[in-house]
Structures are given as structure tokens and as C-alpha cells.
Amino acid sequence: MVLLPPPRGFIFESSTFLQPTIFKNDQVPLRKRLTASAATTANALRTTAPTSAALTTSIAETRTTITSTATITTSIPEIMLILVVTIMSTRASITTTTPSTKHTKRLPNLLKKKIGILLINTGTPKDLKYWTIYRYLQEFLHDRRVIELTRFLWCPILHFFILPFKPLKKQKTYGSIWNKVTDESPLRTIIKSQSKLLRERFDRRDDIIVDWAFRFGGPSIEEKVQALREQGCDRLISIPLFPHYSATTMASCQDQVFRALMKQRDQMSVHTITPYYTDKTFLSSIASSIQKSLQEHSSIHFDMLLFSYHGIPLSYEQKGDPYGSQCRKTTELIKETLRLDIPIGTCFQSRFGYSEWLKPYTDDLVVQQAKLGMKNILIVTPGFSTDCLETLEEIAIELKNDFLKHGGENLIFVPCLNDSREGIDVIATVALKALQSFT
Ligand SMILES: C=CC1=C(C)c2cc3[nH]c(cc4nc(cc5[nH]c(cc1n2)c(C)c5CCC(=O)O)C(CCC(=O)O)=C4C)c(C)c3C=C
Ligand SMILES: [Fe+2]
């Protein structure tokens, strides 16, 4: 037995609207007969799985009632109007019944009421083919959160001057860090492991499902949100794996989560995280990763500890993106925890294009220090939860080569927290905080 709400067909409301014309001669029987046949239609809709045939018969009855009575009292255009309204209400009723009937199939799952935790990162190409990298970059660089330039200017630049050439360069750089065992980019290998290990932290909670998605390049946020829904999750915790807020990262991921929710009739409740750069677990985990590297390279006397964060265009900060300030604050907080007696600096890497980005630029600063005679630098990237092209290639390979070329001796890179115990501690802390909002 399918219980449907009484149909709110336009015909019933419109009879009031048309009343002054239709009942101008006090034609009460018409109102009565209309109400009676409307009730028949409503009945047909309320009973089990109303068929189109049942509906058509009852609607036809309503229509006949209207026409036969209305011809006496109303003009031809009015009759036409009533007919159109009746047909529209019939269609509306039929279309609304179809998804409801389908929906009942999913009800048993929904009743389990699970919580989905979705780990999200920016994304990475699936393989090293030219067109795969092309499409990945195309999707990335079409996001208005990432590139704010007017489309009129940006699209020709992107399609004529960037996309044809960039994939060739990226084939080489991704190739140099590619995980040959699993044949994938490190970002993909690590997020899979982060997701698995986080699930293990919740091994006593069979109401929690952990999964992961990429903003660009797939698996998409939309498919993963939908999959969680179909597994019975009525609540969603979205965790973009960035300690700091930037519209270019956090908001871009959350936008995509909300786009997925826009397609749900029975929408999941969603918790979106707050930036966790001031969280104690995060700060102490980064601090201990630095201490660990210092111990591993105890034979080196480091002249400087550099905190390098992914950059954003300066204009984004000027328009209100808090990312730069949050990064500078992170350095201060970790500095307080570490209490080292070597100079500590903040800089920004991975700039793209010719506009001004947050300064100082990591590559300029490191080369400048090498030229000034600095020999040993320890470099950490706390804005990245996971090692990727930007850390493994840009810092640990390219920047190191530049430093050595200009007279430096050791540029030691502190790995990201990744799927280490401390890394999962951080993600689990963020997830637990979010879980509290659902209890
Ligand atoms: C062009 C503008 C970009 C802004 C602004 C930006 C901000 C930003 N990005 C990350 C983290 C990552 N970025 C990654 C790749 C990547 N980023 C951009 C561009 C911008 N990012 C591009 C074009 C790419 C593609 C690859 C490349 O050209 O380098 C990645 C994934 C790297 C991988 O291994 O695949 C991450 C992670 C942050 C934190 C950030 C600002 C807060
Ligand atoms: Fe980026």
C-alpha cells in the first residue's frame, strides 16, 4: 500500500480563481460535480500504485464534467483554459507518483541511518597519458574558485596557450614521482590508505562508512556522495584534507559536495569542517615530524627551517581569502612548540601564471639564501596533508637541485603526515569533532 499525500492539483486551486466567471449565474452544481470528480482523481492517486489508466479514466471524467456543464455558462476561451489546467494537473500528478514509487525501494537502506565520512583532496591524473593529464588540468583550471579571471579572457588563454603544452611538461614531472608498483600518482595511493586506516579507527562503529574522492580527475565527489547515500548514509561529514581555508581548495570541494546534494530528493544532513590549523593534534604532529627529521639528519647543522605553503594569487588574499594569514599563524604556533634556535621562515610555492602571488616565493628565497652562503636548509610543507607533485617533485627534486646549483649542500624535505599514525590521528580528531555535531 503506497500512501501518497492528497494531490494538490492546480485544478482545485484554480476553481477558486475562476469562480467569478464560472459561477457567475450561481451555477453551484458545476462546483459540486467538479469536486466530486476531483475526489475520484484523488482517490485513484491514494490507492496502491495508481496506474496511468486509472488516472486517465478519472481525469477524463473530470474533463467531461467540466466541458458539459461549462459550455452552458462559460465562453470557449474559458473552457480551453480549464482543459489546459486539468491536463497539466494530470501530468503533474503522474510525474510525482513515479519517483515516489521508485524511492520506496531505497527505504530499507535509509532506515539504517549511517554516517558517511568523505575524505577529499584536489585530485591527480589517473595515468600519464597526454589526454588524461589534459582533461585533468582542463577541469582544474576551469574551476572559478581556482581561476577568478573573467571567462571571456581566461578561456582563450587556457585553450590556446596552456592546455596544448602543459600536459607534456606534467608527463615528465608526474613520471618522476609516479608509484610504479601500483601504477598511480602518490596522492591516490596515500588517500586510499588514509581512508582505510581511518575506517580502522572506527572499527567498533558499524554505522560509519569512510570513503574518499577527488575534486578534479575522479573518483568524483558526486559519485562518492551518491554511493554513500545508497549504502544508507543519511548524514555526511565532508573532510577536505586541507588544514587551512582557501576558497581555491576548501570552498571548491564543499561547492562540489553541495552540487551533489542538490540532486538528492531526500537530502543528507551535511557537516563541513572548520580549518584545523590551530588544532593541538595537528600542531604537535607537524612539530614531531620536524623533530624526527632533525634526529634522522643529526649530523647536519641546519642554518634554517623553512615552512613552505602552496601559494594563491595576492589579489585573492586582498579580496578576503584568509589562507595566507592562517599559514603565517601556523608557522608561529609550531615555532612556539619547537623552541629551536635556528632562523625560521614562511614562504609560498607552486605559483601559476604571471600575476603576483603570496610572497616570499619559496624558489626565490632558497636560491637567494644559497647565494648568500647558506648551506643546509630543512623544509616542511604543513599545508599539504599528503605528499604530491607539489612536495615530492617541486620541493624534494626541483628546489633541491636549484639549491645545490647555487652553492647549497643539503636541502632536506620533511615528508607530509600522509598515512602515518600521526597523520591519521589528525584526520580522526577532525572526524570525531564533526561526529559530535550529529549526536
Ligand atoms: C592555478 C591556481 C592554483 C591555485 C590557486 C592552487 C591552490 C592550491 N592547490 C593546493 C594543493 C594542490 N594543488 C595540486 C595541483 C595543482 N594545483 C594547480 C593550480 C592551483 N592550485 C594545478 C594546475 C595543479 C595540477 C598539477 C600541477 O600543475 O602542479 C595538488 C595535486 C598535485 C598532484 O600530486 O597531483 C594539490 C594537493 C593548495 C593547498 C592550494 C591553496 C591553498
Ligand atoms: Fe594547487
Side-chain angles (χ1 to χ4, degrees):
M1 174 85 163
V2 180
L3 282 179
L4 288 167
R8 291 185 64 242
F10 194 32
I11 182 171
F12 312 119
E13 286 150 14
S14 65
S15 62
T16 322
F17 163 69
L18 293 167
Q19 191 173 341
T21 318
I22 299 173
F23 302 114
K24 63 186 171 198
N25 294 329
D26 225 4
Q27 296 291 325
V28 182
L30 173 60
R31 182 203 281 268
K32 274 193 182 154
R33 291 176 65 186
L34 268 173
T35 317
S37 27
T40 322
T41 311
N43 231 7
L45 283 163
R46 266 197 215 99
T47 51
T48 47
T51 59
S52 317
L55 278 172
T56 317
T57 319
S58 65
I59 299 284
E61 208 179 286
T62 312
R63 237 175 268 162
T64 321
T65 314
I66 293 165
T67 20
S68 61
T69 320
T71 38
I72 308 162
T73 55
T74 56
S75 63
I76 302 273
E78 284 164 350
I79 295 164
M80 296 300 287
L81 182 62
I82 294 166
L83 274 175
V84 169
V85 166
T86 315
I87 291 162
M88 278 168 67
S89 79
T90 313
R91 286 205 174 154
S93 306
I94 291 171
T95 43
T96 48
T97 54
T98 316
S100 300
T101 317
K102 255 193 195 170
H103 213 98
T104 53
K105 286 181 193 157
R106 291 187 182 156
L107 274 175
N109 255 345
L110 300 186
L111 292 173
K112 283 182 197 155
K113 290 191 176 168
K114 291 187 176 171
I115 300 174
I117 299 180
L118 192 62
L119 304 183
I120 308 174
N121 212 320
T122 47
T124 194
K126 280 196 181 85
D127 57 54
L128 289 171
K129 291 186 192 111
Y130 176 91
W131 287 110
T132 311
I133 300 178
Y134 184 103
R135 279 191 296 272
Y136 160 71
L137 291 174
Q138 185 179 24
E139 194 188 351
F140 208 128
L141 296 170
H142 261 117
D143 183 0
R144 285 168 193 268
R145 292 287 198 178
V146 176
I147 306 284
E148 292 183 6
L149 203 65
T150 161
R151 299 296 100 171
F152 178 69
L153 281 176
W154 177 238
C155 285
I157 298 174
L158 177 63
H159 285 275
F160 293 114
F161 300 104
I162 296 173
L163 284 177
F165 312 105
K166 256 275 190 263
L168 295 170
K169 194 182 160 211
K170 293 290 158 188
Q171 275 180 317
K172 284 197 191 125
T173 53
Y174 274 112
S176 68
I177 61 156
W178 206 248
N179 182 342
K180 304 224 165 45
V181 180
T182 53
D183 190 22
E184 62 193 4
S185 174
L187 194 75
R188 194 176 297 269
T189 313
I190 299 167
I191 199 172
K192 281 181 189 169
S193 175
Q194 287 166 329
S195 172
K196 185 174 162 276
L197 294 170
L198 183 68
R199 179 67 197 92
E200 285 171 19
R201 293 283 175 105
F202 294 113
D203 61 350
R204 288 185 189 184
R205 296 274 311 254
D206 64 358
D207 62 331
I208 290 179
I209 302 177
V210 182
D211 208 345
W212 61 277
F214 281 147
R215 171 64 184 89
F216 309 107
S220 74
I221 293 173
E222 188 182 341
E223 70 184 85
K224 288 300 181 83
V225 168
Q226 207 42 45
L228 288 170
R229 186 69 178 128
E230 280 163 19
Q231 288 169 83
C233 296
D234 65 342
R235 284 153 294 167
L236 174 69
I237 295 171
S238 162
I239 308 187
L241 292 168
F242 310 106
H244 310 98
Y245 174 90
S246 168
T248 61
T249 50
M250 190 87 88
S252 174
C253 293
Q254 304 294 25
D255 284 352
Q256 207 62 7
V257 168
F258 288 114
R259 280 189 198 108
L261 295 179
M262 278 168 74
K263 297 190 178 160
Q264 294 181 347
R265 179 176 298 279
D266 186 5
Q267 203 177 54
M268 297 160 98
S269 304
V270 64
H271 180 106
T272 55
I273 61 157
T274 42
Y276 55 89
Y277 67 100
T278 53
D279 179 84
K280 282 198 187 98
T281 313
F282 168 72
L283 294 170
S284 64
S285 298
I286 297 288
S288 63
S289 73
I290 296 169
Q291 298 280 19
K292 199 173 155 202
S293 284
L294 285 171
Q295 280 161 16
E296 273 172 20
H297 300 91
S298 55
S299 59
I300 302 172
H301 174 77
F302 286 102
D303 306 301
M304 190 177 210
L305 169 60
L306 264 187
F307 286 70
S308 179
Y309 301 89
H310 197 302
I312 60 166
L314 179 65
S315 62
Y316 295 8
E317 173 164 84
Q318 287 163 344
K319 286 180 202 159
D321 196 312
Y323 174 76
S325 324
Q326 295 183 357
C327 293
R328 292 179 200 101
K329 183 74 187 166
T330 307
T331 306
E332 266 178 47
L333 293 170
I334 298 173
K335 196 173 160 181
E336 280 168 21
T337 319
L338 283 171
R339 296 178 182 276
L340 295 175
D341 58 356
I342 52 168
I344 290 180
T346 297
C347 49
F348 297 92
Q349 61 178 87
S350 320
R351 69 186 182 280
F352 180 94
Y354 297 99
S355 62
E356 193 176 349
W357 280 42
L358 298 183
K359 282 184 177 165
Y361 300 144
T362 303
D363 49 358
D364 288 356
L365 184 73
V366 164
V367 169
Q368 190 192 14
Q369 294 306 318
K371 284 181 181 169
L372 288 171
M374 198 170 269
K375 297 294 174 201
N376 304 309
I377 294 180
L378 185 67
I379 188 161
V380 62
T381 52
F384 295 91
S385 60
T386 311
D387 277 314
C388 59
L389 190 69
E390 269 62 9
T391 61
L392 298 171
E393 198 279 333
E394 192 183 332
I395 301 290
I397 299 178
E398 214 182 316
L399 189 71
K400 183 178 174 176
N401 288 343
D402 278 355
F403 184 60
L404 301 185
K405 223 190 310 174
H406 290 91
E409 286 175 7
N410 293 290
L411 187 122
I412 305 293
F413 168 65
V414 180
C416 293
L417 296 177
N418 297 326
D419 55 355
S420 64
R421 189 177 48 78
E422 291 83 0
I424 306 303
D425 285 347
V426 174
I427 305 173
T429 307
V430 174
L432 277 171
K433 202 172 154 193
L435 273 169
Q436 283 164 10
S437 75
F438 282 142
T439 50

